[in-house]
Structures are given as C-alpha cells and as structure tokens.
C-alpha cells in the first residue's frame, strides 16, 4: 500500500505535542507539509520533525497532490474555512475540537464532506481512550441497561488557557470553558449515552474573573453549568470552568442506567447481582486518546471506514453548545434546533 501523506494546518501546541508525534509513530504514514502564518514557528517544527514542506498559507499546502489528508490545528474560528477548503481539494480531514464556533459552521463542514465524498473526523480524543472504548462496549452489550442520567464536569480552580490569546477572545474561540473543556465532557457523556436526540437545555454562564483582567482581551464566560434533556427522557448535567473558587481541579464523567452505573478515571462499574451490590474495576491497558484518534483516522482512510467521531456527531454537539449559550443569555429553557 502506498504511503499516506498528511499535512498539518496550524503548527502550535496541539500540532506539536499531539498530531505530529502521533502520525510519526504510525508505519506507512508521512507528515509531508506544515503551514502557519507564523512561518518561523512552522519552520522550526518542520526542522525538528523532518517535515519536507513549509508554507505560510494553507491554500498552498492543499495544492500538494501527494497530500491525502490534513489535520486542522488552528484556532477555532478557522476550522470551518480550512476544513471546507481541504475537503473541496479532495483531502480527508481530522479537525480539532471544538468542531467550529457554531452549529451553522459545523453544518457547512458536514455538507462539504458529503459533497466531496471525503472523511470529516473530529478530534474528540476522549472517545478514543481505552477505558472509554471498554465502557462503550459494555454499554452496547447492555451491562448498564437503559441509561437515563449522566453527569460530567471539568472544573479548573485557575486554568485560563492562553490568557490574552485567541482562546479568551470570544470572536476567535466561540466561547470559554464550555467550548474548550465542556465540549470534551459533554461529548463524552453524550457518546456513552448512545448519542440521543436532544430536546431542551437550561443553562447558566458567568463571567466573574474576566472583568478583573483588563490588560488583555478576555470576553468569554469563565464558568457554565446546566441541564440537557433528551427526547427519550434522559438527562445530562454538566459544569465547567477555567476559574472557580473550588478546592482543586475536578474532572468527572458518570453514567447511570437501570442495571448499572459507571464512572471514568479510573473506570468503575456499580451494579447489583442476586441482591448483592457489586463494584467492578475493569483492568484496561491505558492508551492515549490522542494517539488512538490519529491511528483510527488513518485506519478509516485505509479501510474507507466511518470514523468513531464523525462530523455529523460533532455537528450535533455544536447544536448543544449553541443552545447552552443561548439559554444562558436568555435566562430560560431553549429547545435544541
Ligand atoms: N483535543 C485536545 O486535547 C486539544 C488540546 C489543545 C488544543 N486543542 C484544539 O486545537 C486547536 C489549536 O489549539 P492550540 O492549543 O494548538 O493553539 P495554538 O494557538 O498553540 O496554535 C494554533 C496555531 O494556528 C496558527 N494559525 C493561525 N491562523 C492560521 C491559519 N490561517 N493557517 C494555519 N495556521 C494558523 C497559529 O499561528 C498557531 O501557531 C484549537 O481548536 C484547540 O481547541 C485540542
């Protein structure tokens, strides 16, 4: 089989510690090109990783016929533009989370993938963790019964990413901790619940730390929480912060069904057999979600498989995030469109 050659769009943090090392570990895969308007950064990354081509503009990278697929590792507001251009140029796309800054943008990406007949996979790396895949399998086999409640959170006491960079500028990020961290946790819970259709959202968002920082642009929320109700009656509670007066950082994902409940980090299952309460601690070899995500993307290209985290599901998650922000702004329940 000929080598699969990939291009990296955006040479910042996640490209350097996530995508490039993951591609380099795979046999039959070559990172052929990288691009970034900060061309000096791209050049340095290319040198360190023996990447032959460096561009300032991703449109130049997309002209390389040998490139079969790209990873989009740019700030959030550029995901849609770069993904649509790459898909239209006939490339398969692995796009970082959040898929976009709105459901409207996500829809355009999905349509572009469908029209081009190319893969659009979203970098929801938590889905690919080995304990998540193990739990998903147990859920599919009916171990938890019908899941009717889930709760998740990623609460940082103080952990505002790239303060003053695109991360804290709403126009470029699309929002704060909800779209940055909450997207991981809400997606993970929703995935484990079996991706039910959403009905409504009631949420709050607060900006209590941002007004204290006037030296840089910081106009996103710093905490949000809420409840999502699904059409099949299930409920998901979430909470997420970049800054909150909490004792320490807290990360959790829990799902509760008629036969059993489960939590992650580490994976534990709680059920009852013959009137006896049983706790199960499955032994799962830990595998990095980022490495597995990239391995799966290449596998999907080789075997023409539908990804575990397809653009269509990323779009559904973006609809949830839009509804959460709308509910927080209007101060009332919002029906998910
Ligand atoms: N899945 C995860 O765990 C994870 C972790 C971190 C970041 N991310 C996501 O990855 C994306 C990038 O985050 P990051 O932390 O690497 O940010 P970053 O700011 O470190 O890197 C972004 C890079 O994109 C470049 N860029 C800007 N405009 C560009 C353009 N038009 N073409 C090409 N490159 C351009 C910037 O110059 C910068 O080097 C974001 O969407 C973020 O949410 C995901």
């Amino acid at each position: 089989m000929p080598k699969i050659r990939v291009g990296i769009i955006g040479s910042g943090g996640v490209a350097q510690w996530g995508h490039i090392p993951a591609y380099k570990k795979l046999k039959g895969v070559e990172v052929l090109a990288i691009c970034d308007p900060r061309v000096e950064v791209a050049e340095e990354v290319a040198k360190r990783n023996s990447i032959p081509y460096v561009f300032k503009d991703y449109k130049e990278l997309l002209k390389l016929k040998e490139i079969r697929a790209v990873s989009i590792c740019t700030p959030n507001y550029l995901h849609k533009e770069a993904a649509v251009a790459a898909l239209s140029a006939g490339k398969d796309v692995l796009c970082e989370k959040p898929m976009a800054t709105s459901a409207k943008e996500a829809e355009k990406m999905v349509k572009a993938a469908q029209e081009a007949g190319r893969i659009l996979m979203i970098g929801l790396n938590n889905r690919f963790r080995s304990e998540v895949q193990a739990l998903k399998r147990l859920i599919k086999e009916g171990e938890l019964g019908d899941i009717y409640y889930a709760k998740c959170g990623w609460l940082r006491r103080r952990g505002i990413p790239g303060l003053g960079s695109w991360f804290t500028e709403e126009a470029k990020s699309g929002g704060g901790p909800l779209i940055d961290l909450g997207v991981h946790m809400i997606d993970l819970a929703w995935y484990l619940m079996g991706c039910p259709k959403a009905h409504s959202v009631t949420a709050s968002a607060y900006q209590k730390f941002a007004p204290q920082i006037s030296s840089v642009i910081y106009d996103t929320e710093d905490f949000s929480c809420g409840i999502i109700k699904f059409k099949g009656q299930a409920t998901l509670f979430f909470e997420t912060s970049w800054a909150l007066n909490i004792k320490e950082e807290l990360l959790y994902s829990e799902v509760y069904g008629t036969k059993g409940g489960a939590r992650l980090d580490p994976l534990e299952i709680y059920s009852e057999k013959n009137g006896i309460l049983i706790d199960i601690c499955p032994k799962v070899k830990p595998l990095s979600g980022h490495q597995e995500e990239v391995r799966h993307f290449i596998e999907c290209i080789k075997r023409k498989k539908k990804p575990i985290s397809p653009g269509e599901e990323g779009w559904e998650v973006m609809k949830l995030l839009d509804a959460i922000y709308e509910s927080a702004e209007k101060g009332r329940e919002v029906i998910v469109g």
Side-chain angles (χ1 to χ4, degrees), residues 105-143:
E105 288 184 353
E107 179 179 9
K108 290 192 175 126
M109 294 161 74
V110 168
K111 298 264 158 76
Q114 288 167 349
E115 273 162 31
R118 290 287 152 193
I119 293 169
L120 171 60
M121 178 173 144
I122 312 304
L124 293 159
N125 52 284
N126 284 287
R127 290 191 182 200
F128 297 88
R129 287 161 46 197
S130 41
E131 62 168 21
V132 171
Q133 282 305 311
L135 177 56
K136 182 76 182 167
R137 226 169 67 209
L138 291 169
I139 290 171
K140 269 192 191 155
E141 284 160 8
E143 200 69 27

Side-chain angles (χ1 to χ4, degrees), residues 8-17 19 35-38 41 56-58 72-79 81-82 96-98 123-126 154 165-167 179-180 184 290 293:
I8 307 286
I9 301 181
S11 67
V14 81
Q16 293 183 38
W17 60 255
H19 293 245
C35 69
D36 200 303
R38 297 189 303 158
V41 177
K56 204 170 177 174
D57 186 339
Y58 70 79
I72 296 178
C73 304
T74 63
N76 304 344
Y77 73 107
L78 294 164
H79 289 183
E81 176 194 305
E96 259 307 333
K97 56 51 63 174
L124 293 159
N125 52 284
N126 284 287
W154 190 339
S165 75
W166 64 269
F167 270 102
I179 204 163
D180 181 42
H184 279 302
H290 290 281
E293 165 196 300

